Amino acid sequence: MLADDDRLNIVVITNILQTEGYVIQQATSGEKALELYDSFQPDLVLLDVIMPGIDGFATCRELHERYGESVAPVIFITAKNESEDVVEGLAAGGADYLTKPFHRKEALARIRTQLQNRELIAQQKQLVAELKKANDAKNKFLGMAAHDLRNPLASIRGLAEFLRDGTVGQLTPDQIDLVNTIHDTSQSMLSQVNELLDVATIEAGELKVHKEAQDLGELVAKSVYLNNINAARKQTQITFDPPATPINGAVDAQKIRQVMDNLLSNAVKYSPPGSKIRVALSGDRPACKISVQDQGPGIPDDERHRLFKDFGILSVRPTGGEKSTGLGLAICRKIVEAHRGAIMALNLPGGGCEFSILLPI
Amino acid sequence: MRFDGKILIADDEAHVRKFIGLIAKQLGSPQILEAKDGREAMEIYQRERPDLVLLDVNMPVQNGLEALKQITSADPEAIVVMLTSLANRETVDEALQSGAANYLRKDTPKDELLAAFRETIAQCFATD
């Protein structure tokens, strides 16, 4: 669409553009341009700046007001070319500026550029929409698959335990050994499936945090106690000195326990057998801090950025041959952030790493 | 502590019935009945009047929540424990409000499930 009050200009420009194959809608004023925009749906608007009635800048502003982001790019055409006017034109939402008399080739090139941009932006929007759809489908599928795998794995683990306990008859030591393997493997798979399910749920935006007032010291102590059972297998010990006065806060106990389990099992995993893991809880309104110090190799500097990302597996290896999905810390971060807290990792000067979470209470 | 009552286990997956069945046996129950969907669960309930029902939430034909509501409206004293793979808050609340005595995840370790069943029985039969 071309808007100019000078009929001669309109004829000249129209000829140039029609020769190139463009379809032109003429308008003799800003008001007329606004009137015709909707029915013509131009891909580009050429606006003369100086027109009686509303000028080019005002027309451009009005177009943006009415049509927002999807409005066609506007190129101002005018005899004026002081830099303030250029600035005002761009501020009014114009994409480019052509001064009269203009070179035919230059004008055509600029018009072509704006049209190309418009097309690229439209393509990009569509790609993003398709990607989002694909991502949603992936999350849904992931959730369903993980969900379907969970029950059978839980049953395998449970039945293996019954076998091991002798509930359905005594087993020979060799048989117990095989059953232990079945049990541990299915347990490991169950953990991985649960992590995948967590990720799918979180990515689908379904992470809901139900906060209730708790004694945080008790929450941490319980986690430490349960994780020590596992740690003992590696002769590793987790210690926790509860704070002198109870620290209460509103958190989602189940989710924070999940974070604690993750941090503690990582600490045990990456520290050599026989290590001491130190857990501490401190702070008061407005926030508390829970920290876990391990005796592992620490986080390599060039891998820090991957630490809390999905599938961010580092070069550091667990010291007991344990498996890692690389999802645990990403899930921790999302849970902590859902509490409007923060999680971080610091290498300790004497070796080892300290993971801490800050939670508003 | 031995539990002398009849137990009904309803779940569409055979391995779950087997697994939960073994746990139920550990409670000491002399008779363990099985159903593979909500409708079968209702039929067996009406016929046998089990003392404890372990009901899966997601079942074909008639799902667990529906069966729960039917059972508790016919018999408000019924002891029904819901078993599930999910545990979203809305379903838990609905089940508890419809009269379920407890709501447990099927992938809970077996010793914890056993303890939870025992606790539920102790609470519900303590009033007798």
Side-chain angles (χ1 to χ4, degrees):
Chain A
M1 179 151 70
L2 162 65
D4 194 325
D5 59 316
D6 185 326
R7 297 222 100 249
L8 182 57
N9 278 339
I10 288 195
V11 168
V12 168
I13 298 174
T14 301
N15 276 336
I16 293 176
L17 295 178
Q18 277 180 338
T19 314
E20 292 301 308
Y22 296 121
V23 174
I24 312 297
Q25 169 65 58
Q26 297 169 343
T28 45
S29 66
E31 291 88 343
K32 260 258 152 331
L34 290 170
E35 217 182 279
L36 296 167
Y37 185 95
D38 217 4
S39 49
F40 184 61
Q41 294 289 318
D43 298 300
L44 182 88
V45 179
L46 291 161
L47 282 180
D48 184 21
V49 172
I50 303 194
M51 292 185 284
I54 55 175
D55 69 12
F57 297 151
T59 310
C60 182
R61 274 192 288 268
E62 181 60 29
L63 282 174
H64 275 84
E65 183 74 37
R66 288 190 198 179
Y67 302 103
E69 267 187 15
S70 60
V71 76
V74 168
I75 299 182
F76 292 112
I77 298 184
T78 185
K80 279 173 143 209
N81 76 337
E82 277 96 342
S83 54
E84 298 101 61
D85 294 319
V86 174
V87 169
E88 197 189 337
L90 295 174
D96 206 348
Y97 214 102
L98 282 171
T99 54
K100 289 190 281 206
F102 52 77
H103 299 280
R104 187 178 144 274
K105 285 205 176 135
E106 181 193 351
L108 287 174
R110 288 183 187 232
I111 288 172
R112 207 170 295 134
T113 302
Q114 291 306 324
L115 288 171
Q116 271 176 355
N117 272 356
R118 185 166 165 73
E119 171 121 14
L120 283 172
I121 289 176
Q123 279 177 2
Q124 187 189 54
K125 275 207 182 123
Q126 191 180 13
L127 270 176
V128 168
E130 279 172 24
L131 278 174
K132 189 170 188 312
K133 243 176 100 179
N135 197 40
D136 286 344
K138 174 210 82 187
N139 285 333
K140 202 163 167 208
F141 171 72
L142 202 60
M144 277 167 52
H147 189 257
D148 287 343
L149 291 170
R150 203 152 59 161
N151 280 349
L153 284 169
S155 293
I156 292 173
R157 177 190 63 182
L159 294 175
E161 283 175 15
F162 276 118
L163 275 174
R164 188 171 63 183
D165 294 346
T167 309
V168 283
Q170 275 296 80
L171 264 58
T172 68
D174 282 344
Q175 287 171 337
I176 291 185
D177 186 45
L178 288 187
V179 167
N180 273 332
T181 305
I182 293 174
H183 177 269
D184 293 346
T185 309
S186 56
Q187 171 64 70
S188 164
M189 280 181 71
L190 192 53
S191 301
Q192 288 185 36
V193 162
N194 276 331
E195 278 189 347
L196 280 173
L197 199 53
D198 274 341
V199 165
T201 310
I202 290 172
E203 294 246 332
E206 285 169 22
L207 175 62
K208 290 190 201 100
V209 161
H210 300 282
K211 294 191 202 171
E212 273 173 17
Q214 328 268 336
D215 180 330
L216 294 170
E218 267 179 33
L219 195 154
V220 174
K222 183 146 187 215
S223 228
V224 168
Y225 174 73
L226 289 171
N227 277 280
N228 256 327
I229 299 173
N230 226 13
R233 291 203 214 167
K234 277 173 94 169
Q235 291 85 48
T236 290
Q237 198 193 14
I238 310 173
T239 61
F240 173 53
D241 280 322
T245 50
I247 298 181
N248 293 312
V251 298
D252 184 325
Q254 191 209 28
K255 298 249 161 31
I256 297 298
R257 262 198 297 265
Q258 193 177 352
V259 172
M260 289 307 305
D261 281 343
N262 215 287
L263 293 180
L264 289 174
S265 80
N266 273 355
V268 170
K269 251 195 230 177
Y270 292 98
S271 302
S275 297
K276 272 215 169 24
I277 315 287
R278 266 178 253 278
V279 177
L281 165 65
S282 61
D284 204 349
R285 290 218 154 65
C288 72
K289 174 175 160 185
I290 304 175
S291 60
V292 175
Q293 289 184 353
D294 65 48
Q295 294 185 303
I299 314 295
D301 276 330
D302 58 344
E303 293 179 9
R304 298 199 127 262
H305 63 283
R306 278 201 265 152
L307 197 54
F308 296 107
K309 290 211 164 86
D310 288 351
F311 303 107
I313 298 184
L314 307 187
S315 58
V316 177
R317 293 256 132 270
T319 56
E322 301 99 319
K323 292 226 171 301
S324 172
T325 50
L327 292 169
L329 284 177
I331 295 172
C332 288
R333 179 177 57 93
K334 283 165 180 154
I335 291 177
V336 168
E337 285 174 3
H339 280 81
R340 300 197 304 129
I343 185 169
M344 54 219 146
L346 273 175
N347 284 336
L348 297 166
C353 188
E354 180 187 78
F355 278 82
S356 29
I357 62 176
L358 288 172
L359 291 170
I361 50 173
Chain B
M1 159 242 205
R2 276 188 77 85
F3 176 63
D4 288 331
K6 266 191 282 198
I7 300 183
L8 166 60
I9 301 175
D11 193 300
D12 58 318
E13 293 179 290
H15 56 80
V16 176
R17 293 196 299 271
K18 190 165 293 198
F19 172 50
I20 302 294
L22 277 174
I23 301 181
K25 254 171 91 175
Q26 298 219 295
L27 288 170
S29 164
Q31 191 180 14
I32 300 186
L33 307 153
E34 293 186 14
K36 55 185 186 313
D37 59 54
R39 197 179 53 197
E40 218 181 290
M42 279 311 301
E43 283 168 13
I44 299 181
Y45 184 84
Q46 276 159 357
R47 205 174 56 222
E48 305 276 350
R49 292 285 167 175
D51 303 280
L52 174 66
V53 182
L54 305 173
L55 201 51
D56 179 24
V57 173
N58 289 72
M59 284 187 288
V61 183
Q62 189 188 40
N63 76 38
L65 276 179
E66 284 308 307
L68 166 69
K69 288 175 186 166
Q70 283 198 339
I71 292 176
T72 52
S73 60
D75 180 5
E77 303 287 309
I79 318 286
V80 184
V81 173
M82 307 305 292
L83 296 170
T84 184
S85 339
L86 311 157
N88 72 62
R89 213 157 184 89
E90 293 76 28
T91 320
V92 175
D93 288 341
E94 196 185 338
L96 293 175
Q97 275 172 18
S98 303
N102 207 340
Y103 196 104
L104 300 164
R105 267 179 49 169
K106 281 190 254 189
D107 59 331
T108 309
K110 79 163 185 7
D111 294 331
E112 279 179 41
L113 281 175
L114 183 59
F117 292 159
R118 286 209 164 111
E119 204 183 299
T120 306
I121 292 171
Q123 280 176 1
C124 295
F125 288 96
T127 52
D128 287 352

